[in-house]
Amino acid sequence: MSGLGQVIRKITTDDYDAVAALLASAFGRQDEADLVRRLWAEHATKFERVSEISGVIVGYCAFSPVTSKPDLDGLLLGLGPLAVAPEHQNQGIGSELVHTGLKICRDNNARLIAVLGDPKYYARFGFEPASKRKMTWAGFDAGDAFRVITRDDDDLDVEDIRVIHYHPAFDSVS
């Protein structure tokens, strides 16, 4: 629990409607809510956490499996979506969700965690430009917005560029 009276916990199926509403509100459109519903339907999330204050869900963070070509062994994850209710943004809720999620990923020996998002925001968590690790996102050239964290002891150097693929459910999000 943070100083905000926030509790971060595992999601339950009873939370699905509230999370979908939160996603639609936070992003101002339905696409991310539809994405997460597809991920749930396909059991394609590995770790999910919600943040609640006084019993109301105000934040959500998901990690789902990603793949790479050439192949990488081990647990490879993509962070997203991350959302905080508009009236609760800029209070540290998203940061707490990311920190909690990254700890869970590390505790489960994730080899790679990828994210597509604001480079300045995600740099504070240790995400570096994927291009530094000769990686790119299969969706399009996202530049420094496509970022990764790898294990400290991991040598991922390859001659060819490694292409990271998110779950197919992400393909329909614009």
Side-chain angles (χ1 to χ4, degrees), residues 111-143:
R111 183 171 189 185
L112 171 85
I113 306 160
V115 68
L116 180 63
D118 179 358
K120 289 180 185 174
Y121 182 79
Y122 287 103
R124 74 174 90 169
F125 304 107
F127 285 95
E128 63 182 347
S131 60
K132 288 178 79 175
R133 294 293 194 145
K134 292 187 179 177
M135 294 181 194
T136 188
W137 177 43
F140 60 87
D141 181 7

Side-chain angles (χ1 to χ4, degrees), residues 38-53:
R38 285 190 302 277
L39 291 170
W40 290 332
E42 296 182 33
H43 305 285
T45 55
K46 181 72 174 170
F47 306 115
E48 295 176 276
R49 292 297 182 267
V50 294
S51 173
E52 64 179 21
I53 297 174

Side-chain angles (χ1 to χ4, degrees), residues 4-133:
L4 300 170
Q6 166 186 223
V7 174
I8 295 177
R9 63 171 176 77
K10 286 183 179 181
I11 192 171
T12 70
T13 55
D14 290 341
D15 298 325
Y16 284 5
D17 289 339
V19 166
L22 167 75
L23 289 163
S25 174
F27 286 96
R29 61 185 192 173
Q30 200 61 40
D31 293 3
E32 285 76 11
D34 293 344
L35 161 67
V36 171
R37 287 192 185 280
R38 285 190 302 277
L39 291 170
W40 290 332
E42 296 182 33
H43 305 285
T45 55
K46 181 72 174 170
F47 306 115
E48 295 176 276
R49 292 297 182 267
V50 294
S51 173
E52 64 179 21
I53 297 174
S54 301
V56 176
I57 293 176
V58 297
Y60 172 78
C61 186
F63 293 84
S64 58
V66 299
T67 58
S68 74
K69 297 292 180 203
D71 290 339
L72 274 173
D73 293 330
L75 182 59
L76 314 176
L77 298 167
L79 187 168
L82 167 66
V84 176
E87 64 274 16
H88 291 282
Q89 291 177 0
N90 300 310
Q91 297 175 19
I93 292 169
S95 293
E96 288 291 326
L97 282 165
V98 173
H99 281 299
T100 299
L102 291 176
K103 181 178 182 332
I104 293 164
C105 292
R106 288 184 182 109
D107 289 350
N108 283 274
N109 296 313
R111 183 171 189 185
L112 171 85
I113 306 160
V115 68
L116 180 63
D118 179 358
K120 289 180 185 174
Y121 182 79
Y122 287 103
R124 74 174 90 169
F125 304 107
F127 285 95
E128 63 182 347
S131 60
K132 288 178 79 175
R133 294 293 194 145

